[in-house]
Amino acid sequence: MPELIDALVADLRPVPPGTVWRRIAIGVGVGGLASAVLMVLWLGLRPDLADAVWTTSYWAKFIYPLLLGIAGILAVERLGRPGGRAKRAARLAVAAVVAVLLLAAAQFMNSPPEMYGDLLMGSSAMLCPFYIVSLATPIYLGLLWALRGLAPTRLTVAGAGAGLLAGGMGAWIYAFHCGETAMPFLATWYSLGIVASVALGALAGRYLLRW
């Protein structure tokens, strides 16, 4: 038995420091670049982007998915390791969702009832989640590559973490096209697109992350 153990570990080499972060950065970088190119060629930048960046609503729409993407990065970094857990990532994601829900509620309370429909549905409610999931797909594929080179043991949860990162970044990239400004729209339809990405990521991870 000692000889067998010695044979099994004979070729083991220590993993260089930063390997996990490097793989995640490459996966996100390549996938994010592909997603950005897809957005520009398929949807295009919003024509009033230069003016929109001076508005509070734009920055809320910019920061919310970015925070969820950061939570996803933290989750993937932990879940890419054997037995990894992502409590800090979960807390950040919950805080971001609660913040945007409070902003949405505040806008509802300060608006007349006849505006509720427009605040919630905007002009692109039925397309927004589809666009977010579509733009998240190249990023998720990059993360699949990254995770398959690591050692996740909780495959469904790791896939969900990758879906959160991909969905958050996909929604962030989509924000450069989207002209919606209402917080209820952001809280509902952006969140739905990101949740769909998480669900699809969990389902795919269960099968595609097997060693």
Side-chain angles (χ1 to χ4, degrees):
M1 184 61 71
E3 292 80 7
L4 176 60
I5 295 174
D6 290 340
L8 290 173
V9 302
D11 294 328
L12 289 182
R13 295 183 178 87
V15 177
T19 296
V20 173
W21 282 114
R22 276 196 296 272
R23 286 193 70 88
I24 294 172
I26 293 171
V28 172
V30 174
L33 179 60
S35 179
V37 171
L38 176 64
M39 182 275 292
V40 171
L41 295 180
W42 179 26
L43 303 174
L45 295 171
R46 58 184 291 182
D48 62 339
L49 183 60
D51 296 324
V53 297
W54 298 101
T55 64
T56 303
S57 61
Y58 175 82
W59 285 103
K61 187 170 61 176
F62 184 88
I63 292 171
Y64 173 56
L66 186 60
L67 285 175
L68 292 179
I70 292 171
I73 290 175
L74 297 176
V76 170
E77 190 273 335
R78 299 310 305 166
L79 294 167
R81 306 169 188 269
R85 298 189 178 276
K87 293 181 180 180
R88 184 171 57 166
R91 287 194 292 267
L92 177 58
V94 169
V97 171
V98 169
V100 81
L101 287 174
L102 290 175
L103 288 173
Q107 189 168 17
F108 266 138
M109 288 188 293
N110 288 287
S111 302
E114 58 269 21
M115 289 186 61
Y116 288 175
D118 289 337
L119 290 174
L120 180 63
M121 301 301 292
S123 61
S124 59
M126 297 298 102
L127 293 174
C128 176
F130 168 74
Y131 286 145
I132 288 173
V133 172
S134 298
L135 293 174
T137 299
I139 303 169
Y140 186 77
L141 294 176
L143 289 168
L144 280 179
W145 169 84
L147 284 168
R148 286 182 63 85
L150 301 176
T153 54
R154 305 171 67 207
L155 305 186
T156 300
V157 181
L164 176 62
L165 172 48
M169 296 307 297
W172 181 71
I173 291 170
Y174 175 63
F176 288 91
H177 162 80
C178 177
E180 304 288 354
T181 59
M183 291 301 101
F185 183 98
L186 175 67
T188 302
W189 302 106
Y190 271 61
S191 298
L192 183 59
I194 295 169
V195 167
S197 180
V198 171
L200 292 171
L203 180 63
R206 180 178 180 180
Y207 299 101
L208 299 180
L209 293 177
R210 288 177 178 174
W211 296 9

